Amino acid sequence: MPDKPIEGEKRVFMTGNEVVAWAALVAGAEIMYGYPITPQNEIMHYWTRLAPKYGREFLQTEDELSAGFTTVGGVLAGRKAFTATAGPGNTLMQEPMSMAEAMRLPTVVVIQQRGGPSTATVIYSQQEVTMTTLGGNGEGLRIVYSTANHQELFDYTIKAFNTAWKYRFPTFVLGDGYQAKMRESLTIYDPASRGIELVEAEPYFGKPGVPGVDRPPTQLRNTYNVEEELYEVLEGYFRDYQKIAPEVAEHEAFGLEDSDLVVVSHGVVSRACKAAVKELREAGIKVGYFRPITLRPLPVEAIRETASKARQFLVVESAQGQLARLLKEAAFGCPVEMLDLFKPGVGITAEDVVSRVKEIVG
Amino acid sequence: MSVQPAMPKSWRVDTKPHKFCPGCGHGLVLKALGQAIDELGIQDRAVFGCDIGCSLLAWDFFNVDTIQTHHGRTTPVITGLKRANPNLIGIAYMGDGGGYAIGSQHLVNAAARNEKITVILVNNTQYGMTGGQMAPTTLPGQKTETTPYGRDPEKTGYPTQGPEMVAAITREGAYVARGTVANLRQLKNYLKKALENQMAGNGFSFVEVLSTCPTNWRTNAEETWKMVEQELPKYFKVGEIKVPGGQKEGEANG
């Protein structure tokens, strides 16, 4: 059995779903649990072809509830475990992920967003932002990376396993149907060859010794008897989350220094926005570009700083204001005006953004 | 020094007395399970998963690694754990609502896939923790909070026959039985065989246990015992239903 899935690095031309499977392999994922739903299916297809060659496992479950809860079980056994889903499957996934939040379990879930609400389209959207960042009956104690291209899908899937096991919050890679199905060039690599150290998984259950004799038993609960008991646990979680948020939060930006108008977007839409902003700047129109890479936690300081200098934000997304709501909360009190270009469940081109900006600046 | 009742070695003594209502059957099931764990010497590698419902109160019951899951979701959690580390002995412990209603798809599919786990389902004919509503196992005519005039099978069906269903969808290698808290020696024997079946890697093992709920049945001690010993077996036949490659209890010399 070959030791490493990738030696050094390799230039490839792949679909995003294939990229995710390779990234999970090199990140040391040991088991995937999954249930078919478009547009994430090929993650399972590639994983089931690659996994046996490297001693990794797969289980096809009866639904996404089971895919999420078996992932929880895999993590409890001390394995790097993950699943992938989309749309209505993401809805079901919120139940197991709320348990992962309650117990601080390092599950990794890859979401390839599709149209909503309901079954809608199998194609594409950015309509799973609210659910992925704040879903479940909880407080959003999770980490969400929104990727824009295949290189990032590879980089951030590896990173997601490290972040999850380092900080012990459930971690999501938020892609979409375009990224899932599109073929693109990227460099895949052995993380060690880039100096990326993989965080080791460790078992919660089945540690050496007899519980109660050689060691205390590991007993994890999510149910509390009194309000104060729950409050104390959550206060601890919020403190931890607040502490790690600045370490985890990421964003990219350019052209902010001289711009009154800043185009804000995330994920694959940020590619259109980046191209549009470059084109507009070359034409002498001063527009800035800002993109949160983590949607949870958001890069709040950077958003507030930008929102304090700029006069207007143009929020561009393939949803009816799901990113905009997060931004409004983060920028609350800043004097920035929020303008929008929302196309729920529909792709956005650089031309769309350019014409919207021209409409605004006149 | 006061005399301590004999407790299984695998029980966590500092959490006793346990949290179940007086007359509840859970304590008896967990005693039989504790004895089975002791006799098999698997305290160090058993993982106990408890559902939501009254079974959630068992989250600190044993000196065994324990996970409290969601309502109906103990089967997939233990399945995922066992798949990820087959050396562990996975025990999924749930009630009749968790196993036969909200979690029935997990039970059916885990059984059909022949997952190498042990599911113990405690049947007390109604939802205890939420205050005594109708369950899939409620007897015809039985009064509950959502069948205040008695369960009408025309409108709500007949009691779910869980072990019979599991036996029908499992193949060779599965162990399926129905025990009762009215016969603890037999129950311990069934639980032990179920766990041994998992340890041998044969396949899925499932034990339903007929149990008591005097709080929601609103029965006194005598009525409670009559219900579990005489009434429940009229609908739920006690015994081994499927034994891998061997003889069922009592058939050895038959």
Side-chain angles (χ1 to χ4, degrees):
Chain A
M1 199 170 282
D3 187 33
K4 282 185 170 178
I6 304 167
E7 292 287 349
E9 60 179 59
K10 209 159 82 177
R11 196 71 186 154
V12 294
F13 184 63
M14 284 180 180
T15 66
N17 282 337
E18 188 176 2
V19 170
V20 170
W22 278 102
L25 264 187
V26 301
E30 288 153 289
I31 186 163
M32 177 187 187
Y33 305 87
Y35 184 80
I37 190 165
T38 309
Q40 70 78 25
N41 295 308
E42 295 82 6
I43 298 175
M44 299 188 298
H45 301 176
Y46 284 104
W47 180 263
T48 49
R49 280 158 181 75
L50 293 167
K53 297 179 187 168
Y54 303 98
R56 320 293 173 87
E57 298 287 335
F58 175 76
L59 174 65
Q60 184 167 329
T61 58
E62 58 273 18
D63 57 22
E64 288 86 353
L65 291 166
S66 185
F69 280 105
T70 47
T71 302
V72 163
V75 162
L76 291 170
R79 304 286 188 252
K80 287 188 184 173
F82 77 110
T83 185
T85 190
N90 194 5
T91 305
L92 293 183
M93 194 56 67
Q94 296 311 312
E95 189 195 330
M97 290 311 110
S98 80
M99 179 168 150
E101 284 185 11
M103 294 170 167
R104 300 278 303 267
L105 301 178
T107 49
V108 172
V109 183
V110 179
I111 308 290
Q112 301 288 33
Q113 297 169 94
R114 54 185 271 168
S118 183
T119 318
T121 73
V122 297
I123 306 165
Y124 160 81
S125 87
Q126 293 189 316
Q127 295 172 291
E128 296 174 48
V129 167
T130 304
M131 181 156 65
T132 307
T133 54
L134 297 164
N137 59 333
E139 303 281 357
L141 289 163
R142 42 177 78 183
I143 291 157
V144 181
Y145 293 110
S146 173
T147 58
N149 56 51
H150 287 28
Q151 191 62 60
E152 286 189 359
L153 264 183
F154 190 77
D155 299 344
Y156 282 99
T157 300
I158 296 169
K159 196 171 207 171
F161 284 97
N162 269 359
T163 305
W165 282 92
K166 182 174 179 190
Y167 299 113
R168 305 293 169 104
F169 287 107
T171 302
F172 297 76
V173 177
L174 185 66
D176 56 68
Y178 287 174
Q179 294 183 68
K181 299 280 191 180
M182 184 164 61
R183 240 170 237 281
E184 198 163 89
S185 295
L186 73 151
T187 304
I188 60 173
Y189 51 82
D190 167 21
S193 73
R194 299 274 177 105
I196 298 169
E197 205 177 311
L198 299 180
V199 177
E200 289 288 315
E202 53 177 342
Y204 289 77
F205 292 156
K207 290 176 187 165
V210 178
V213 180
D214 309 313
R215 63 175 173 93
T218 304
Q219 297 182 321
L220 304 176
R221 62 169 167 165
N222 57 58
T223 314
Y224 300 94
N225 296 319
V226 295
E227 295 165 0
E228 290 74 12
E229 218 176 355
L230 170 67
Y231 185 64
E232 195 185 319
V233 171
L234 290 180
E235 285 294 288
Y237 288 1
F238 296 141
R239 271 195 302 276
D240 291 350
Y241 195 85
Q242 209 171 2
K243 190 165 147 264
I244 69 155
E247 292 170 38
V248 174
E250 293 182 37
H251 72 282
E252 65 166 359
F254 64 86
L256 300 181
E257 331 67 51
D258 55 1
S259 303
D260 282 342
L261 175 63
V262 176
V263 177
V264 188
S265 60
H266 77 98
V268 81
V269 171
S270 67
R271 295 165 68 158
C273 293
K274 190 182 270 182
V277 169
K278 280 182 180 165
E279 185 187 322
L280 288 160
R281 289 184 71 85
E282 275 163 21
I285 302 170
K286 285 180 177 164
V287 190
Y289 166 89
F290 188 95
R291 170 201 167 204
I293 296 171
T294 49
L295 299 186
R296 186 88 194 135
L298 275 178
V300 175
E301 281 314 306
I303 291 169
R304 294 189 67 82
E305 199 189 319
T306 310
S308 304
K309 285 184 195 154
R311 207 165 52 77
Q312 293 173 315
F313 273 5
L314 172 60
V315 186
V316 184
E317 54 178 317
S318 294
Q320 194 66 16
Q322 298 197 19
L323 171 67
R325 270 200 293 277
L326 296 177
L327 291 171
K328 280 174 195 164
E329 189 201 356
F332 182 74
C334 300
V336 73
E337 183 190 3
M338 295 269 187
L339 305 169
D340 61 68
L341 171 53
F342 297 154
K343 291 177 84 174
V346 177
I348 296 171
T349 63
E351 292 73 32
D352 293 336
V353 181
V354 168
S355 62
R356 181 75 177 101
V357 168
K358 284 184 174 164
E359 191 184 298
I360 295 164
V361 298
Chain B
M1 207 177 99
S2 64
V3 179
Q4 291 285 321
M7 287 187 254
K9 198 164 60 65
S10 54
W11 274 24
R12 195 177 142 183
V13 176
D14 63 314
T15 61
K16 305 296 171 292
H18 60 62
K19 309 177 189 85
F20 297 104
C21 298
C24 173
H26 272 295
L28 296 172
V29 184
L30 295 169
K31 184 176 179 182
L33 177 59
Q35 289 167 341
I37 290 170
D38 288 355
E39 288 175 22
L40 294 170
I42 54 170
Q43 193 179 337
D44 58 340
R45 61 189 184 116
V47 174
F48 180 74
C50 60
D51 217 67
I52 299 302
C54 294
S55 57
L56 75 85
L57 297 172
W59 75 275
D60 60 354
F61 199 95
F62 293 105
N63 263 326
V64 165
D65 290 345
T66 303
I67 179 80
Q68 186 183 57
T69 79
H70 281 197
H71 189 38
R73 314 300 176 213
T74 308
T75 305
V77 170
I78 295 299
T79 295
L81 176 103
K82 180 75 180 182
R83 288 271 180 162
N85 184 354
N87 292 324
L88 300 174
I89 302 298
I91 304 167
Y93 186 78
M94 65 198 67
D96 37 326
Y100 296 150
I102 193 168
S104 57
Q105 78 274 39
H106 307 311
L107 176 61
V108 165
N109 284 281
R113 288 194 305 261
N114 208 22
E115 296 290 346
K116 313 288 186 285
I117 62 169
T118 299
V119 175
I120 302 167
L121 186 147
V122 179
N123 173 4
N124 62 7
T125 75
Q126 40 75 53
Y127 287 80
M129 182 59 93
T130 47
Q133 295 84 8
M134 182 185 73
T137 47
T138 297
L139 305 184
Q142 185 180 342
K143 287 180 181 171
T144 71
E145 290 300 324
T146 50
T147 55
Y149 304 107
R151 181 177 189 175
D152 177 0
E154 282 299 311
K155 288 181 177 164
T156 59
Y158 283 90
T160 295
Q161 302 292 305
E164 288 77 4
M165 173 185 74
V166 171
I169 59 174
T170 46
R171 296 204 161 221
E172 181 59 29
Y175 176 85
V176 184
R178 183 186 279 118
T180 169
V181 295
N183 188 344
L184 286 181
R185 187 174 299 185
Q186 180 196 55
L187 175 62
K188 186 197 77 183
N189 186 30
Y190 288 174
L191 294 174
K192 208 171 150 185
K193 284 165 93 169
L195 290 167
E196 281 171 336
N197 199 54
Q198 179 180 173
M199 292 162 74
N202 290 337
F204 193 66
S205 49
F206 181 72
V207 180
E208 182 189 287
V209 186
L210 302 181
S211 186
T212 56
C213 183
T215 302
N216 287 307
W217 287 353
R218 294 166 169 80
T219 47
N220 64 23
E222 196 184 339
E223 292 159 349
T224 303
W225 194 250
K226 184 166 172 273
M227 177 88 164
V228 71
E229 199 184 31
Q230 295 173 29
E231 296 304 316
L232 296 191
K234 289 179 186 168
Y235 293 90
F236 306 113
K237 195 166 172 284
V238 173
E240 289 179 313
I241 296 162
K242 195 168 200 169
V243 180
Q247 284 155 324
K248 291 180 188 175
E249 180 194 38
E251 283 181 353
N253 303 309

